[in-house]
Amino acid sequence: MEHSNLLGTKPNCCPRCRVSIDKLGDLIDPSELVPRTSVLLKDKWNEYDAIPNSNNRESRDRQIKLQKCFSDNNAHPTPNVFWDIPFVDLYELHQPDNLHVIHLGIFKHLMEWIEGFLHSYQRPTESDLVWQTIPPYPGFSHPSKPYRQITQLQGKDMRNIGKIIYPALTAALWKPQPRHRHIFHRAIARVRAMACFGLMAQNRAHDQATIKYLSLYLEEFHGYENIFQPFRTTKRTKGLADDRKPQLQKELLE
């Protein structure tokens, strides 16, 4: 929300490009992304601000047209003080960090999906046993209780979870029923991809090799998109999950 106030954009939209909100989280080719530019919005604001305050139809039509332009860019029709500061790219000011994007963002959402997945397949008890038996080691603090019994998670907790989320899920899904084996393997593969992405993203510096690995992990993660879709909580994903439910039920019976 802080970067939305700073940039004058709508909540839950990308601060760097003009991708539509309903496509956030999708795997998109970077070459297809259109970056935000201060020049466009500043020109549109100046045009919007110059419209006389009158009730004639022409003025209202121009206002509606420019408001739609701002809406298409997921922005508000308001001026921004950073537009007039030389050598400052407003949309480069927001810099994501591992704590909020990876640990309190991706891993936290992923754990919520996993909890729903485990309950759906009657595996919460196995998961609790795994969490209670994970031994401590350097750089990792042993969880004092199962994940679902933790009432308040901090950055340190999610950082530790990111280190064990893949092996913990693998152990919790041990010895699946034959009809569940395929979907369990797909769930484990997706979690493995995101765990690898989160660990690789924490490198202090990146080169072409690590960026290639990050891209590969994202592609693998999105390759198993439908596994956790029924357990995602947004209105969009609930609709997609309802549409996919007959197919998922068919896959479970195969």
Side-chain angles (χ1 to χ4, degrees):
M1 180 61 71
E2 291 81 3
H3 75 263
S4 297
N5 295 331
L6 175 69
L7 305 178
T9 57
K10 295 180 179 179
N12 301 322
C13 73
C14 179
R16 306 293 291 275
C17 69
R18 294 189 284 167
V19 64
S20 60
I21 295 176
D22 63 339
K23 291 185 177 180
L24 288 176
D26 294 348
L27 185 63
I28 304 175
D29 188 336
S31 63
E32 299 177 3
L33 300 175
V34 180
R36 294 182 181 275
T37 61
S38 299
V39 175
L40 172 64
L41 293 180
K42 180 181 178 182
D43 291 343
K44 293 300 180 182
W45 165 252
N46 290 335
E47 185 178 348
Y48 183 84
D49 191 45
I51 298 176
N53 294 324
S54 62
N55 293 324
N56 65 71
R57 183 173 181 178
E58 182 181 357
S59 296
R60 290 198 305 271
D61 290 344
R62 289 178 61 192
Q63 286 180 336
I64 293 173
K65 182 179 179 180
L66 290 170
Q67 287 172 354
K68 184 178 184 304
C69 177
F70 277 95
S71 180
D72 292 342
N73 285 274
N74 295 319
H76 299 293
T78 55
N80 194 299
V81 65
F82 292 100
W83 287 345
D84 297 316
I85 299 179
F87 309 111
V88 172
D89 187 339
L90 170 62
Y91 303 107
E92 293 287 341
L93 296 178
H94 173 72
Q95 298 295 327
D97 60 272
N98 284 324
L99 173 62
H100 294 92
V101 177
I102 301 295
H103 301 133
L104 296 178
I106 294 175
F107 283 152
K108 187 174 181 180
H109 286 301
L110 189 58
M111 283 303 302
E112 292 173 356
W113 305 344
I114 290 174
E115 284 295 296
F117 181 87
L118 292 171
H119 279 278
S120 178
Y121 292 95
Q122 292 80 47
R123 291 277 176 155
T125 303
E126 289 83 347
S127 177
D128 290 348
L129 290 173
V130 170
W131 281 84
Q132 291 172 348
T133 56
I134 295 176
Y137 62 87
F140 171 76
S141 299
H142 173 72
S144 59
K145 59 181 70 174
Y147 176 82
R148 59 180 177 154
Q149 295 181 14
I150 302 175
T151 57
Q152 186 174 3
L153 290 167
Q154 299 180 351
K156 181 180 179 181
D157 300 318
M158 295 310 301
R159 190 180 302 112
N160 283 324
I161 287 173
K163 297 175 182 178
I164 61 171
I165 187 173
Y166 165 49
L169 178 65
T170 303
L173 299 182
W174 185 53
K175 288 187 177 181
Q177 298 179 19
R179 64 192 182 96
H180 292 161
R181 184 174 293 113
H182 177 60
I183 197 167
F184 280 14
H185 287 174
R186 291 166 65 190
I188 292 170
R190 191 178 188 202
V191 171
R192 178 187 63 215
M194 185 46 62
C196 291
F197 177 89
L199 294 174
M200 181 69 72
Q202 296 177 53
N203 286 5
R204 292 184 179 275
H206 290 280
D207 55 20
Q208 292 300 321
T210 58
I211 292 174
K212 182 179 180 180
Y213 276 120
L214 289 170
S215 299
L216 291 175
Y217 293 144
L218 276 182
E219 290 176 6
E220 183 180 357
F221 177 76
H222 284 276
Y224 300 94
E225 179 69 34
N226 292 322
I227 292 298
F228 297 118
Q229 196 171 76
F231 313 105
R232 299 174 66 179
T233 57
T234 65
K235 292 182 180 179
R236 177 185 175 233
T237 52
K238 281 183 178 178
L240 292 173
D242 291 339
D243 294 339
R244 281 276 297 156
K245 188 175 293 185
Q247 184 177 349
L248 289 172
Q249 292 173 342
K250 181 180 179 181
E251 291 177 358
L252 291 176
L253 296 174
E254 290 179 351

